[in-house]
Amino acid sequence: MSAVTTHHDDHAHEDHHHGPPPGLMRWVLTTNHKDIGTLYLLFALTMLFIGGFLAMGIRAELFQPGLQLLNPDLFNQFTAMHGLIMVFGAIMPAFVGFANWQVPIMIGAPDMALPRMNNWSFWILPFAGILLISTFFMPGGAPAAGWTMYPPLVLQGGMNVPFLIFAVHLLGMSSIMGAINIIVTILNMRAPGMTLLRMPLFVWTWLITAFLLIAAMPVLAGAVTMLLTDRFFGTSFFNAAGGGDPVMFQHIFWFFGHPEVYIMILPAFGIVSQILPAFCRKPLFGYESMVYATASIAFLSFIVWAHHMFTVGMPLAGELFFMYTTMLIAVPTGVKVFNWVATMWRGSMTFETPMLYAIAFVVLFTIGGFSGLMLAITPADFQYHDTYFVVAHFHYVLVTGALFAIVGGVYFWLPKWTGHMYDERLGKWHFWLSFISVNVLFFPQHFLGLAGMPRRIPDYSVQFVDWNVVSSIGGFVFGLSQLLFVYIIFRTIRGGAKAPDRAWEGARGLEWTLPSPPPYHTFVEPPKVTEADAHS
Amino acid sequence: MNMCPGALRKWALGLPLALSLASLSGSASAAWELNLPVGVTPLSTIVYDLHMLILWICVLIGVVVFGVMFYSIVYHRKSRGHEAAHFHHSAFAEIAWTVIPCIILIGMAIPSTTTLIEMEDTSDPDMTLKVTGYQWKWRYDYLEDGVTFYSNLAPESRRAIYEVGGPQERAEKYLLEVDNPVVLPTDKKVRILLTADDVIHAWWVPELGQKKDAIPGFVNEIWTRIEKPGTYRGQCAELCGKDHGFMPIVVIAKPEEEYRAWVEEQKQAQAEAQTAALREWTRPELMAKGEAVYASACAGCHQLDGGGVPHHIAGIAGSDVATGDLDQHLKVVLEGRAGTTMRAFGTELDDVELAALMTYQRNAFGNATGDLVQPATVAVARLNLGD
């Protein structure tokens, strides 16, 4: 599709012809990147609350020893579905929503390259979600073998097994289509003068993430298809009694799973790299090294997978290889953190809500990185593996990492998307409530894990009571605080102070040259991008 | 979805208890625990030292990085009138903060590598223990001495799980106590072979400094040398289904002579069990033993009251099997039910245990069949099924 479609003399005239059709069908039939971006973000928000409800159930059960609310089987369903819904329903679609809204208006393209596929890749998601969640109401209940779906345990599931597998297939298809669309858009539809190394860092991180998606998702599809044939067609891929190997599933799953981890964090790096310079009023430090660091992390993600399975009994050489490669990830990740700190250094900082989230991201993601480095040390990992230490680690990188970047990004671009400023006072309340409670929630889980509490258990020995009580209280406050987030978003959609085109004093980039909210079609005539108004 | 009976009421009743536990137990020894145990083996001690080394390196880097950042946050703010600088690149800085972390990482990798090599060296053991994971119990085989037993969650803990009002506090080592603990000699290199019967489990005792998966169809190995007599507790660490949280591990380390005495005791008990199968048992004897066998082998799924789990696991109380034909009932218990979680208990329980269990199931929970099942009946049933 050409960047220049129709020619019109003035914007107002063009809007008149190309505005959205009224009613519900606008959302069903839309091929507009802004509408689809909104749909993705609202879907992710809904899933965040469904997954969050499950998390509240988990924390309520773990609030005291003994079983009060959930029987052990239902508890396992909660943990498995919490993971699946948060990973595939909340975090990933939220980032695709950001990509849909932001990539075209950041590179000066009129829309995504493949708008009809864009519509399809979104509308698969609600059906996949319903397929997955409906298993709760089936005889035997939802999948209960963890989001990692390890056989042979996962194959003991009842009716939910084929539903789980087809839901994963659909979610994977949606992701792959979204990724293809993003790559084609970025490589073909940049405005004149928007060279690759002038692209905003958010666009760069998404370009690299999209390649990871295309490489990783089919591997997951293969793994779950083998589960399907093992269960229903008499194959023995993962059944030792038939000559198969249950550990092979783990190798295949984590060959997908580790790139997946970076799929959920690289766009977060991108968002934070947009927010920090804007509120420091200073260009991003080390732009090129940020791009190279992102690419290095993406490459390394394919050769570290077995650090998720150090305890399966690999040969010594294998354990050493995966320990060294995993430790190596600390280098490019460190480069990113140092660059962010250098960006802040001698800036002229203000601390609006997006900036608060970005700073919290840098600090708390780094803490998650430290525990990641500890987990990389194989002999020590034998102690940490499958304990709450791991739970603390990946929630630091996924909640205070990925989710905080998403929330910060929403506050950052909400004025652009809606045309209204959000309520800064409420935004700060939301930040401080979330920031304090999330640390009360997850930091004690490090202690629980080190003291010997395994993950995925519905009940625990009384020596673990204290930190579990603390963690649960943090969890309840964190969960409730997110209701404030929803209130702020909907209030901003409905009204509020008018946002200027450049909503933030220090914000640089093409999206801030557009009106707030931008018209339905933007950059129908591509802008000319010079060195000066390229990335901040 | 089915929740625990009376779920919300039970939860609310326990609220004040949980809060008071958290505030009072500050004085208790294991509460508010922050760190890894040092452990009682050479490996666990090295691993602890390695853990602390890496932790302190991380803390140090954190202090430097966050220190610079917070200095900047305090002093480089617009409200203080700080003007933004315009620098955005420095090849020197980029090279420095690539090379320095690499050097630190090499410093970490060297002790990690030597430790790992030592951990993986299972050669020349003094004895070998084979551990098999089941849903949801452990089986231990002492390969040299021929001692074999199953280790289940202690009945006292199992009874406390669904109670309200603090029985978990009163139960001895709630969820960390078993009926048959593993006994190992101190100061001997013990090789532990790990495998599983059904799904993947993981055997972990923190104070021994080792964790390894028990995988069906494969044998993994670890080793340990316990230097201090004592009782060490751990849990299954790989999600293995419904009762994953309820299959603890207890290792008792004894000096060599005491350990040998224990082995002899076990051998004698196994011999006595064989002669016990030859005599007639009375109803009270069978009912008492049956209740104990039921609590360890069956209650995990079918529940202590025989009620089962609605929509998941059939009850024993009033069930067609437990009140119907005895041979059919025996067949189900000996061979299990294919395609369900009802496992075959034929190899796990001996004739006396099965006879007692049959008698108990057919007369408890209101199942008033009046049947009395003798070990000989079980032995005959085994032969018939073997055809």
Side-chain angles (χ1 to χ4, degrees):
Chain A
M1 194 190 227
S2 157
V4 183
T5 44
T6 50
H7 188 268
H8 288 279
D9 289 328
D10 69 78
H11 269 283
H13 184 59
E14 177 184 300
D15 292 343
H16 180 71
H17 277 283
H18 294 273
L24 186 68
M25 290 315 275
R26 164 184 175 182
W27 301 101
V28 177
L29 300 176
T30 183
T31 53
N32 180 286
H33 74 101
K34 301 181 185 76
D35 282 356
I36 293 172
T38 305
L39 287 172
Y40 264 109
L41 288 166
L42 291 177
F43 175 80
L45 189 64
T46 311
M47 287 294 150
L48 182 73
F49 274 82
I50 296 174
F53 168 80
L54 299 174
M56 293 299 105
I58 292 165
R59 281 320 319 168
E61 181 53 62
L62 293 173
F63 188 56
Q64 34 183 319
L67 293 176
Q68 298 84 25
L69 288 171
L70 310 175
N71 66 49
D73 193 58
L74 187 56
F75 182 89
N76 288 344
Q77 296 174 32
F78 268 44
T79 51
M81 292 291 282
H82 166 72
L84 288 164
I85 288 173
M86 288 304 199
V87 168
F88 294 108
I91 302 291
M92 290 172 68
F95 282 132
V96 183
F98 273 101
N100 261 290
W101 251 107
Q102 289 305 124
V103 168
I105 61 176
M106 288 173 113
I107 62 172
D111 203 311
M112 296 295 279
L114 308 159
R116 285 184 183 80
M117 191 167 84
N118 204 10
N119 172 290
W120 191 27
S121 73
F122 170 76
W123 277 109
I124 285 176
L125 281 181
F127 294 96
I130 290 167
L131 213 57
L132 191 59
I133 292 167
S134 67
T135 56
F136 265 120
F137 307 100
M138 290 175 185
W147 85 279
T148 48
M149 304 177 281
Y150 283 4
L153 183 64
V154 72
L155 298 175
Q156 288 183 348
M159 259 178 85
N160 62 56
V161 177
F163 285 83
L164 168 67
I165 290 168
F166 284 114
V168 170
H169 272 143
L170 289 177
L171 293 162
M173 280 167 60
S174 163
S175 291
I176 291 168
M177 286 193 282
I180 290 172
N181 212 343
I182 288 166
I183 292 175
V184 177
T185 306
I186 295 174
L187 293 186
N188 291 301
M189 296 180 61
R190 277 171 287 123
M194 179 63 81
T195 59
L196 283 175
L197 282 176
R198 284 183 188 170
M199 293 197 309
L201 209 75
F202 175 74
V203 179
W204 256 114
T205 55
W206 241 117
L207 178 64
I208 293 168
T209 302
F211 278 104
L212 287 183
L213 274 169
I214 289 176
M217 296 309 292
V219 179
L220 176 67
V224 296
T225 305
M226 283 186 264
L227 287 179
L228 189 78
T229 61
D230 267 14
R231 171 71 184 256
F232 295 105
F233 302 106
T235 58
S236 293
F237 290 109
F238 309 128
N239 175 9
D245 180 354
V247 180
M248 185 172 77
F249 177 87
Q250 299 183 24
H251 281 292
I252 300 171
F253 180 87
W254 287 113
F255 187 81
F256 145 79
H258 204 79
E260 168 69 16
V261 171
Y262 294 142
I263 287 163
M264 292 190 284
I265 202 67
L266 295 186
F269 290 167
I271 291 173
V272 168
S273 302
Q274 301 301 131
I275 296 175
L276 282 178
F279 295 96
C280 295
R281 293 165 182 79
K282 184 165 161 284
L284 183 70
F285 188 87
Y287 170 88
E288 280 187 38
S289 78
M290 287 297 233
V291 172
Y292 298 138
T294 309
S296 315
I297 294 173
F299 168 73
L300 286 172
S301 77
F302 285 105
I303 55 166
V304 297
W305 76 88
H307 68 216
H308 295 272
M309 34 193 291
F310 276 143
T311 63
V312 297
M314 270 181 289
L316 177 64
E319 288 176 341
L320 288 174
F321 173 79
F322 287 108
M323 175 170 76
Y324 298 148
T325 52
T326 305
M327 291 171 79
L328 217 50
I329 291 178
V331 177
T333 315
V335 167
K336 298 199 85 96
V337 173
F338 298 137
N339 278 329
W340 286 322
V341 174
T343 304
M344 293 166 72
W345 187 253
R346 293 181 55 208
S348 176
M349 277 185 267
T350 52
F351 301 91
E352 289 87 344
T353 310
M355 180 63 165
L356 292 175
Y357 272 101
I359 294 173
F361 170 93
V362 176
V363 175
L364 300 179
F365 172 79
T366 304
I367 292 176
F370 286 144
S371 57
L373 183 58
M374 294 171 74
L375 284 158
I377 308 294
T378 314
D381 178 79
F382 291 148
Q383 289 284 36
Y384 311 141
H385 184 86
D386 266 332
T387 70
Y388 258 84
F389 190 79
V390 177
V391 177
H393 159 71
F394 68 70
H395 281 99
Y396 262 85
V397 290
L398 280 176
V399 178
T400 61
L403 184 64
F404 267 35
I406 288 168
V407 174
V410 167
Y411 281 114
F412 187 52
W413 282 306
L414 203 55
K416 175 56 58 190
W417 298 339
T418 63
H420 303 126
M421 298 304 287
Y422 62 86
D423 184 328
E424 189 62 55
R425 196 178 52 89
L426 285 181
K428 288 211 166 81
W429 266 102
H430 174 230
F431 170 77
W432 285 108
L433 279 170
S434 298
F435 176 78
I436 294 167
S437 61
V438 83
N439 283 293
V440 174
L441 164 59
F442 292 121
F443 209 83
Q445 295 184 359
H446 291 113
F447 307 143
L448 283 170
L450 292 175
M453 181 169 163
R455 63 191 283 207
R456 293 167 167 169
I457 58 173
D459 192 8
Y460 47 79
S461 167
V462 288
Q463 82 211 57
F464 304 127
V465 171
D466 312 284
W467 288 123
N468 270 301
V469 171
V470 174
S471 178
S472 285
I473 291 171
F476 300 145
V477 177
F478 183 70
L480 288 174
S481 305
Q482 304 322 307
L483 295 173
L484 184 57
F485 183 46
V486 177
Y487 173 73
I488 294 169
I489 291 173
F490 282 96
R491 225 176 82 151
T492 312
I493 292 172
R494 294 171 64 98
K498 175 86 185 78
D501 292 1
R502 190 179 300 280
W504 308 107
E505 187 191 21
R508 294 286 174 274
L510 285 178
E511 77 264 39
W512 305 109
T513 62
L514 294 169
S516 300
Y520 202 54
H521 294 286
T522 42
F523 294 129
V524 175
E525 306 242 21
K528 279 258 183 291
V529 182
T530 61
E531 178 76 51
D533 48 31
H535 64 82
S536 45
Chain B
M1 278 200 275
N2 48 109
M3 315 232 319
C4 293
L8 283 170
R9 189 179 52 81
K10 270 164 90 178
W11 192 78
L13 278 174
L15 267 179
L17 175 85
L19 290 169
S20 62
L21 277 182
S23 57
L24 288 177
S25 55
S27 56
S29 57
W32 301 110
E33 186 57 66
L34 298 176
N35 204 354
L36 273 184
V38 180
V40 290
T41 67
L43 292 184
S44 73
T45 318
I46 317 176
V47 168
Y48 176 83
D49 291 340
L50 192 61
H51 157 74
M52 291 313 288
L53 173 75
I54 311 289
L55 178 64
W56 282 117
I57 293 174
C58 288
V59 169
L60 210 69
I61 298 171
V63 167
V64 173
V65 174
F66 298 148
V68 172
M69 195 172 145
F70 285 116
Y71 178 89
S72 178
I73 287 173
V74 172
Y75 291 100
H76 303 155
R77 48 171 71 206
K78 196 183 175 194
S79 58
R80 282 179 167 244
H82 193 274
E83 293 278 326
H86 292 285
F87 65 87
H88 56 85
H89 182 76
S90 158
F92 172 77
E94 300 287 354
I95 290 169
W97 61 47
T98 305
V99 172
I100 294 170
C102 283
I103 294 168
I104 298 175
L105 287 178
I106 291 170
M108 290 177 173
I110 291 167
S112 307
T113 304
T114 53
T115 308
L116 192 58
I117 290 170
E118 200 178 332
M119 291 181 102
E120 294 294 327
D121 179 14
T122 52
S123 58
D124 299 322
D126 297 315
M127 65 168 281
T128 303
L129 173 72
K130 181 179 157 217
V131 181
T132 313
Y134 289 80
Q135 285 174 317
W136 293 275
K137 65 185 70 183
W138 297 98
R139 173 186 159 137
Y140 297 99
D141 293 90
Y142 291 70
L143 295 187
E144 287 89 354
D145 289 309
V147 172
T148 292
F149 57 86
Y150 290 83
S151 184
N152 296 280
L153 178 67
E156 198 192 354
S157 285
R158 182 164 301 286
R159 274 193 292 273
I161 294 171
Y162 289 97
E163 303 288 317
V164 181
Q168 292 87 13
E169 273 288 281
R170 291 191 294 275
E172 177 68 17
K173 293 288 170 193
Y174 177 60
L175 297 188
L176 291 180
E177 187 63 289
V178 295
D179 52 0
N180 300 311
V182 193
V183 177
L184 290 176
T186 50
D187 298 315
K188 293 275 177 200
K189 181 167 183 178
V190 182
R191 182 172 59 156
I192 301 174
L193 304 178
L194 296 153
T195 186
D197 181 66
D198 33 48
V199 300
I200 302 173
H201 303 265
W203 197 83
W204 179 39
V205 179
E207 276 156 317
L208 306 191
Q210 280 275 26
K211 177 189 292 135
K212 200 74 122 188
D213 289 356
I215 300 167
F218 293 80
V219 179
N220 273 331
E221 46 182 19
I222 53 176
W223 70 273
T224 188
R225 183 194 299 274
I226 305 174
E227 289 175 325
K228 207 174 116 197
T231 305
Y232 308 109
R233 297 167 198 277
Q235 284 177 270
C236 176
E238 177 66 52
L239 177 63
C240 59
K242 187 175 76 63
D243 278 4
H244 163 56
F246 308 103
M247 47 184 293
I249 298 153
V250 178
V251 175
I252 299 178
K254 296 181 172 183
E256 171 73 2
E257 307 86 69
E258 286 178 47
Y259 167 74
R260 283 315 317 169
W262 175 85
V263 169
E264 293 311 316
E265 234 172 72
Q266 296 303 304
K267 285 181 173 170
Q268 203 163 355
Q270 285 187 359
E272 275 166 18
Q274 276 168 359
T275 52
L278 301 175
R279 71 174 172 88
E280 285 272 311
W281 284 58
T282 66
R283 181 177 296 272
E285 277 180 325
L286 287 170
M287 287 299 281
K289 188 169 180 65
E291 188 175 0
V293 174
Y294 182 84
S296 66
C298 316
C301 295
H302 295 291
Q303 309 302 320
L304 279 168
D305 64 3
V309 179
H311 308 295
H312 282 266
I313 288 157
I316 306 290
S319 88
D320 293 342
V321 176
T323 58
D325 179 43
L326 173 64
D327 287 338
Q328 192 54 37
H329 186 188
L330 258 173
K331 185 176 157 65
V332 170
V333 176
L334 285 169
E335 297 184 332
R337 276 192 197 274
T340 73
T341 48
M342 177 62 196
R343 187 171 73 239
F345 285 86
T347 52
E348 193 173 320
L349 301 175
D350 64 25
D351 291 355
V352 176
E353 288 167 329
L354 280 165
L357 180 64
M358 289 288 112
T359 309
Y360 180 73
Q361 287 194 357
R362 299 179 75 79
N363 294 287
F365 324 121
N367 293 352
T369 60
D371 290 348
L372 192 64
V373 185
Q374 290 295 341
T377 317
V378 178
V380 172
R382 278 190 201 272
L383 289 175
N384 289 340
L385 290 172
D387 287 344

